[in-house]
Amino acid sequence: MKRNANIYVSIISGFLLCFILSLTFIISYYQDSAKQEAIYDELVEVVEEEKIKNDESDLLKEYQDLYLQNDDMVGWIKIDGTKINYPVMQTVDEPNFYLRRGFDKKYTIYGCPYMQENCNVDKPSDNLVIYGHHMNDGTMFANLMKYTKKSFWEEHKTIVFDTLEEHKEYEVMAVFKTIVYSDSPESFKYYHFVDAENEEEFNAFVEKCKELSFYDTGVEAEYGDKFITLSTCEYSKKNSRMVVVAKRVK
């Protein structure tokens, strides 16, 4: 009987330990969520205040204060009607630096939206590829998943991406899911397309995007057009990604 009692105590102790660890993780997760939300809300406030202070000709002065805080910032991404309203970072020598770091460079599972290291916002590259996490609380790039529904796209066709020097708008051209880091026939390495070597390569990228798209947006592209590609994790398959490709319109 004593042996059985010891077994029961061990089992209960094990369950209790698991419960405590799980509770600690959940508390930590929500604390980080609240902290990151507060950080980015403050950054948005800075941008909005600067918009009010400056006239139209000085519009992009709105990002000067943020750039002084962190000169890894290369722009700002926003989709009206969603939670996507964030600075975009880039670290050429350490490509995934912001995968698990926030705007303040401190560790967080939320990371911060960041641009692929071989993209050039000043040139600009033919395709600016930006990554963001798919967070369970709907922050970062989680709202990209809503583009699976055509009705959502119809209300959110425009993506705004400002560099530090220019205000630009993009129209969503294609929305699709694909596998990455694989040679599978299902894999489309959209992130390899940054600057087209020729018109054939450009057209091949556009055609593949449209072929995979959940629906026809009616947006056409011709050689010389510029794109922005937003990418986030999608969990229906291993290494699956949700991708939104948009063409610059102004």
Side-chain angles (χ1 to χ4, degrees):
M1 292 293 292
K2 185 176 181 180
R3 181 181 178 185
N4 288 340
N6 288 337
I7 292 174
Y8 290 140
V9 170
S10 297
I11 292 173
I12 292 173
S13 297
F15 279 125
L16 184 60
L17 179 60
C18 289
F19 174 76
I20 292 172
L21 291 174
S22 297
L23 184 61
T24 301
F25 174 81
I26 291 171
I27 292 173
S28 176
Y29 177 86
Y30 282 104
Q31 286 177 334
D32 194 17
S33 175
K35 178 182 177 181
Q36 294 306 312
E37 184 175 4
I39 288 173
Y40 289 109
D41 283 349
E42 184 177 337
L43 297 183
V44 170
E45 285 181 13
V46 170
V47 171
E48 294 302 321
E49 287 175 2
E50 290 301 319
K51 281 183 180 179
I52 295 172
K53 290 179 183 178
N54 296 291
D55 60 29
E56 188 67 22
S57 63
D58 295 324
L59 179 65
L60 297 191
K61 284 185 177 179
E62 63 205 65
Y63 301 121
Q64 288 183 357
D65 286 348
L66 301 189
Y67 183 73
L68 289 174
Q69 292 179 42
N70 188 338
D71 60 8
D72 289 336
M73 179 180 171
V74 293
W76 189 281
I77 186 78
K78 182 178 181 179
I79 303 177
D80 284 336
T82 77
K83 291 187 176 182
I84 298 174
N85 191 15
Y86 298 108
V88 176
M89 320 304 287
Q90 187 181 41
T91 46
V92 175
D93 296 328
E94 196 172 348
N96 296 318
F97 182 85
Y98 286 95
L99 181 68
R100 294 298 182 196
R101 289 182 178 87
F103 182 82
D104 57 5
K105 296 188 179 183
K106 295 180 181 179
Y107 176 84
T108 170
I109 60 171
Y110 284 75
C112 186
Y114 65 96
M115 185 169 294
Q116 190 166 286
E117 70 277 7
N118 58 340
C119 296
N120 187 326
V121 296
D122 297 320
K123 187 180 177 181
S125 296
D126 292 334
N127 187 27
L128 301 176
V129 185
I130 302 175
Y131 301 98
H133 284 302
H134 177 181
M135 302 306 295
N136 290 332
D137 61 3
T139 58
M140 295 299 143
F141 278 7
N143 280 177
L144 293 184
M145 296 303 301
K146 295 181 179 180
Y147 276 105
T148 57
K149 295 182 179 180
K150 189 174 183 179
S151 58
F152 182 83
W153 160 74
E154 289 171 342
E155 299 295 326
H156 304 84
K157 294 182 179 181
T158 302
I159 297 173
V160 174
F161 175 67
D162 293 344
T163 68
L164 299 177
E165 299 177 350
E166 293 183 293
H167 174 83
K168 296 296 181 183
E169 291 186 4
Y170 296 75
E171 187 175 10
V172 174
M173 181 182 75
V175 179
F176 57 87
K177 293 191 296 186
T178 189
I179 305 295
V180 296
Y181 313 131
S182 169
D183 291 327
S184 164
E186 298 180 75
S187 176
F188 172 39
K189 297 181 175 63
Y190 56 91
Y191 43 87
H192 283 178
F193 179 78
V194 174
D195 285 301
E197 292 187 4
N198 49 54
E199 186 171 358
E200 183 179 0
E201 182 180 343
F202 179 93
N203 290 337
F205 172 76
V206 172
E207 289 170 11
K208 188 63 176 180
C209 289
K210 287 179 166 290
E211 174 191 327
L212 294 177
S213 188
F214 289 109
Y215 40 80
D216 181 10
T217 64
V219 177
E220 301 297 332
E222 58 184 33
Y223 189 48
D225 283 336
K226 303 296 183 181
F227 303 104
I228 191 169
T229 296
L230 307 185
S231 174
T232 195
C233 289
E234 193 280 324
Y235 303 115
S236 63
K237 294 181 180 179
K238 183 179 179 180
N239 289 330
S240 183
R241 297 293 185 270
M242 178 73 180
V243 184
V244 177
V245 179
K247 182 185 77 170
R248 196 173 77 187
V249 290
K250 65 178 183 178

